[in-house]
Amino acid sequence: MTATPATAAARETHSRRDPQAGPPPGILAVVFTALFLAGLVLSTVLADGDTFPSPFGSTDTVSSYFRDHTDAVRLSGALQFAASVPLAIYAATVSARLHKLGVRAPGATIALAGGVLASAFLACSGLVTWVLSRPEVAAHGDIVRALQYLAFGLGGPGHVVLLGLLIAGIAVPGLLAGLLPRALAVAGLAVTVVAELSTLVLLADGAALLLPVARFAGLLWLIAAGFLLPRRRVRTEG
């Protein structure tokens, strides 16, 4: 039986209003990015233009920053923790959508696992940063140094490497199943490679240059993929 135009329109309206589709992943990626960048920008403003110190800097520089800019550090940790929430929802939403699109390969599960773990590492980094904002902690240079290394490890290579898994879990099925534009999917694979190579930060301090490249390229990629990943496959009839 051939569907009437009214029936087809009703089905189209239902697909657009699918209550199980979840929140738009593109919007979630924008919120995640906005919260993360706000933590960087606003903390710098509160610190009178002083940027967050590198964990590889001198002990005196690190200690004085956390001692003199407790409000900036507190805000940075809070926004970093807040950013982890839309990231976790993004991973769950995209994984569910990939399954709905018929992806049965491990990609959807890899995206979920990578995204949830990246969110968890970012949240832990934010909480450790919040601890660093407490005056009674900031007064002890050795403790500050240790906690900053921990916050960096969690929010730096720990978060970025796992963010790469989220991107790979979307990019690979996006490429093989034609769910994303080919150029975007290939770009996602390139970002993934850089993200995974950032593991080298744990062995060589100089490899820290890979972190901002993978992180900010990954943020842009997640936004683009979130808006371009289709809700359903378009079937053509011969």
Side-chain angles (χ1 to χ4, degrees):
M1 181 177 179
T2 304
T4 65
T7 303
R11 289 177 179 173
E12 180 67 18
T13 301
H14 175 73
S15 67
R16 290 178 181 175
R17 298 178 181 175
D18 186 358
Q20 297 184 9
I27 299 298
L28 290 169
V30 169
V31 174
F32 163 54
T33 301
L35 288 171
F36 184 84
L37 294 180
L40 298 178
V41 174
L42 294 179
S43 63
T44 301
V45 172
L46 279 180
D48 299 323
D50 290 343
T51 57
F52 209 82
S54 167
F56 308 119
S58 68
T59 299
D60 290 341
T61 300
V62 170
S63 297
S64 62
Y65 179 89
F66 287 104
R67 184 179 60 251
D68 299 338
H69 303 300
T70 54
D71 289 340
V73 176
R74 183 178 298 113
L75 181 62
S76 175
L79 289 175
Q80 196 174 59
F81 179 82
S84 70
V85 177
L87 177 59
I89 301 173
Y90 179 99
T93 302
V94 168
S95 176
R97 183 171 294 189
L98 288 173
H99 281 299
K100 188 175 180 180
L101 289 168
V103 175
R104 298 292 178 263
T109 303
I110 291 172
L112 177 61
V116 169
L117 288 172
S119 171
F121 272 59
L122 187 64
C124 289
S125 178
L127 292 175
V128 173
T129 301
W130 176 82
V131 172
L132 280 164
S133 73
R134 309 309 299 174
E136 57 271 28
V137 174
H140 301 279
D142 292 341
I143 296 177
V144 166
R145 192 71 168 176
L147 288 177
Q148 192 199 11
Y149 277 129
L150 179 59
F152 172 77
L154 292 168
H159 169 70
V160 170
V161 168
L162 293 166
L163 195 69
L165 289 183
L166 168 61
I167 295 171
I170 303 170
V172 172
L175 177 64
L176 298 180
L179 300 175
L180 291 173
R182 183 178 180 83
L184 180 63
V186 172
L189 296 178
V191 173
T192 297
V193 171
V194 179
E196 303 314 302
L197 285 175
S198 66
T199 303
L200 294 173
V201 176
L202 302 177
L203 300 175
D205 296 350
L209 293 175
L210 295 171
L211 291 173
V213 175
R215 188 193 302 277
F216 293 111
L219 292 176
L220 293 174
W221 193 92
L222 289 173
I223 292 173
F227 282 113
L228 294 177
L229 189 67
R231 289 177 176 268
R232 57 191 179 89
R233 284 183 186 257
V234 177
R235 303 180 184 277
T236 58
E237 296 181 1

